[in-house]
């Protein structure tokens, strides 16, 4: 087998900005705006998010960063099927990793997912300024990763959280924080069933800080951000570092390393068994199941 492979780049390049950036009274507001695809994340969006975060860190006037999204849903995960899916495109990497695009077998995803998922999320989680996720609608799979890297999560009443990745034969998303975000027993239920967890349940578990009406989501989140922004910069940075360090002492970082390796064992296993790294996952079938489930429970999704 050759050390290199040719892959056709079939992505349709999107010219609209996938992420918007603005600053209001010391708060940077980073907004995902690929809402026509429920804000699923392609690499273009991931690197755009990173650029916005970098900009916010570099700006001394910015004290707090808010991450939100336009449209009905915060994020339906990683892009596994829009015309703008750009996994075969090479971007200027943010970590000391080699290019994944022309690599065979498991190397392709192993390198790419370290760069754009695991390392990017860990880098965002450790940003020295406080971050607040502002979540409405679906926060699914890769969407969880974006919310979980934030220090606080404010959710609207219609928000729900879901990791259906076990359906692909894979033990959850690449940033495996599940057993830190919720009790391990609940984390298992969340993963085994892969069902939607409503905001109210996420709040009970301490995964979400506040639940607010949908039409007050931005105003209430910005109000909290303003109050955090009144604290001294060093006080905030050191407090964040202290809490994150304690989580790491509890095994968050090393646990994630192991889960990432198992995640990739699953990708390779899938490829060997079915020829598809995602195990023949059918996103449309899942959406239909979700709809039926929500209908049973009287929801409108
Ligand atoms: Zn993966």
């Amino acid at each position: 087998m050759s050390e290199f492979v040719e892959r056709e780049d079939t992505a349709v390049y999107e010219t609209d900005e996938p992420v918007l950036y603005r600053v209001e009274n010391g708060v940077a507001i980073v907004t995902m705006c690929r809402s026509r695809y429920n804000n699923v994340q392609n690499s273009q969006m991931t690197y755009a998010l990173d650029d916005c975060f970098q900009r916010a860190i570099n700006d001394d006037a910015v004290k707090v960063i808010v991450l939100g999204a336009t449209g009905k849903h915060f994020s339906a995960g990683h892009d596994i099927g829009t015309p703008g899916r750009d996994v075969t495109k090479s971007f200027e990497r943010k970590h000391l990793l080699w290019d994944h695009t022309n690599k065979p077998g498991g190397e392709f995803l192993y390198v790419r997912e370290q760069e754009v998922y695991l390392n990017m999320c860990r880098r965002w989680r450790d940003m020295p300024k406080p971050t607040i996720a502002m979540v409405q609608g679906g926060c699914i799979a890769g969407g969880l990763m974006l919310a979980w890297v934030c220090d606080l999560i404010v959710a609207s009443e219609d928000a729900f959280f879901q990791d259906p990745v076990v359906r692909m034969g894979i033990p959850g998303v690449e940033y495996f924080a599940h057993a830190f975000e919720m009790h391990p027993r609940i984390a298992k239920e969340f993963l085994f069933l892969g069902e939607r967890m409503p905001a109210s349940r996420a709040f009970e578990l301490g995964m979400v800080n506040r639940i607010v009406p949908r039409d007050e989501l931005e105003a209430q989140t910005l109000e909290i951000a303003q109050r955090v922004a009144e604290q001294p910069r060093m006080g905030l940075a050191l407090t964040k570092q202290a809490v994150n360090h304690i989580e790491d002492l509890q095994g968050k970082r090393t646990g994630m390393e192991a889960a990432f390796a198992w995640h990739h064992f699953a990708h390779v296993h899938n490829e060997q068994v079915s020829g598809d790294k995602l195990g023949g996952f059918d996103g449309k079938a899942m959406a239909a199941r979700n709809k039926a489930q929500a209908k049973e429970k009287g929801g409108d999704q």
Side-chain angles (χ1 to χ4, degrees):
M1 191 187 210
S2 157
E3 206 187 336
F4 300 104
V5 290
E6 288 280 331
R7 279 191 193 84
E8 200 192 341
D9 179 10
T10 51
V12 177
Y13 187 75
E14 290 166 17
T15 49
D16 341 346
E17 284 296 323
V19 182
L20 295 177
Y21 181 87
R22 71 182 205 273
V23 177
E24 277 176 26
N25 306 322
V27 177
I29 301 142
V30 177
T31 309
M32 294 182 275
C33 42
R34 241 189 135 211
S35 58
R36 68 185 176 287
Y37 298 123
N38 295 327
N39 295 309
V40 292
Q41 306 151 41
N42 55 6
S43 293
Q44 194 190 348
M45 179 189 258
T46 306
Y47 284 97
L49 281 169
D50 194 80
D51 289 346
C52 290
F53 293 142
Q54 194 124 50
R55 200 167 153 189
I57 300 298
N58 289 340
D59 183 351
D60 282 345
V62 169
K63 300 282 294 290
V64 177
I65 302 164
V66 167
L67 172 64
T70 55
K72 194 171 175 187
H73 301 291
F74 177 75
S75 172
H78 296 140
D79 189 342
I80 57 172
T82 78
R85 184 176 191 231
D86 52 9
V87 288
T88 52
K89 258 195 215 309
S90 197
F91 285 77
E92 196 184 320
R93 290 175 295 286
K94 300 288 179 177
H95 308 98
L96 291 173
L97 281 160
W98 63 108
D99 188 16
H100 70 283
T101 54
N102 61 349
K103 301 304 182 295
E107 188 178 353
F108 173 82
L109 267 198
Y110 186 64
V111 177
R112 176 174 190 269
E113 294 198 347
Q114 279 186 71
E115 162 71 8
V116 292
Y117 298 156
L118 182 65
N119 289 358
M120 209 69 104
C121 281
R122 291 203 293 210
R123 159 189 172 92
W124 296 340
R125 177 249 187 184
D126 286 329
M127 286 192 291
K129 297 183 181 180
T131 49
I132 308 178
M134 181 163 71
V135 178
Q136 81 277 17
C139 179
I140 303 170
L144 292 170
M145 297 169 49
L146 294 184
W148 285 349
V149 297
C150 292
D151 299 311
L152 306 180
I153 301 178
V154 179
S156 59
E157 288 158 346
D158 66 328
F160 62 89
F161 302 85
Q162 184 180 24
D163 188 346
V165 169
V166 177
R167 279 193 210 283
M168 305 178 186
I170 298 172
V173 288
E174 292 80 4
Y175 181 84
F176 197 83
H178 308 62
F180 283 86
E181 294 292 340
M182 46 195 121
H183 187 284
R185 185 154 280 105
I186 309 286
K188 287 175 186 164
E189 179 188 347
F190 185 68
L191 285 159
F192 289 174
L193 294 177
E195 289 176 357
R196 294 174 171 196
M197 175 186 280
S200 53
R201 177 78 170 136
F203 177 75
E204 278 168 20
L205 301 175
M207 197 179 103
V208 158
N209 296 87
R210 304 278 163 88
I211 302 181
V212 300
R214 175 69 185 90
D215 57 358
E216 292 174 27
L217 179 62
E218 179 161 319
Q220 292 216 29
T221 307
L222 293 183
E223 193 267 327
I224 295 167
Q226 282 302 327
R227 281 193 284 137
V228 176
E230 285 165 19
Q231 300 275 26
R233 177 169 49 239
M234 271 294 272
L236 291 169
L238 296 175
T239 302
K240 175 164 178 169
Q241 216 163 12
V243 177
N244 283 7
H245 181 67
I246 286 164
E247 279 192 303
D248 288 342
L249 289 175
Q250 290 167 339
K252 191 173 191 178
R253 191 175 175 89
T254 47
M256 232 178 239
E257 294 285 351
F260 187 75
W262 289 315
H263 180 103
H264 277 273
F265 170 68
H267 274 310
V268 172
H269 175 70
N270 280 344
E271 195 163 27
Q272 284 182 346
V273 171
S274 67
D276 176 15
K277 298 177 185 75
L278 305 183
F281 179 74
D282 184 345
K284 282 192 181 121
M286 188 192 80
R289 256 195 312 271
N290 276 340
K291 233 178 201 158
Q293 239 171 41
K295 213 171 178 185
E296 239 170 64
K297 291 178 185 161
D300 69 339
Q301 292 296 318

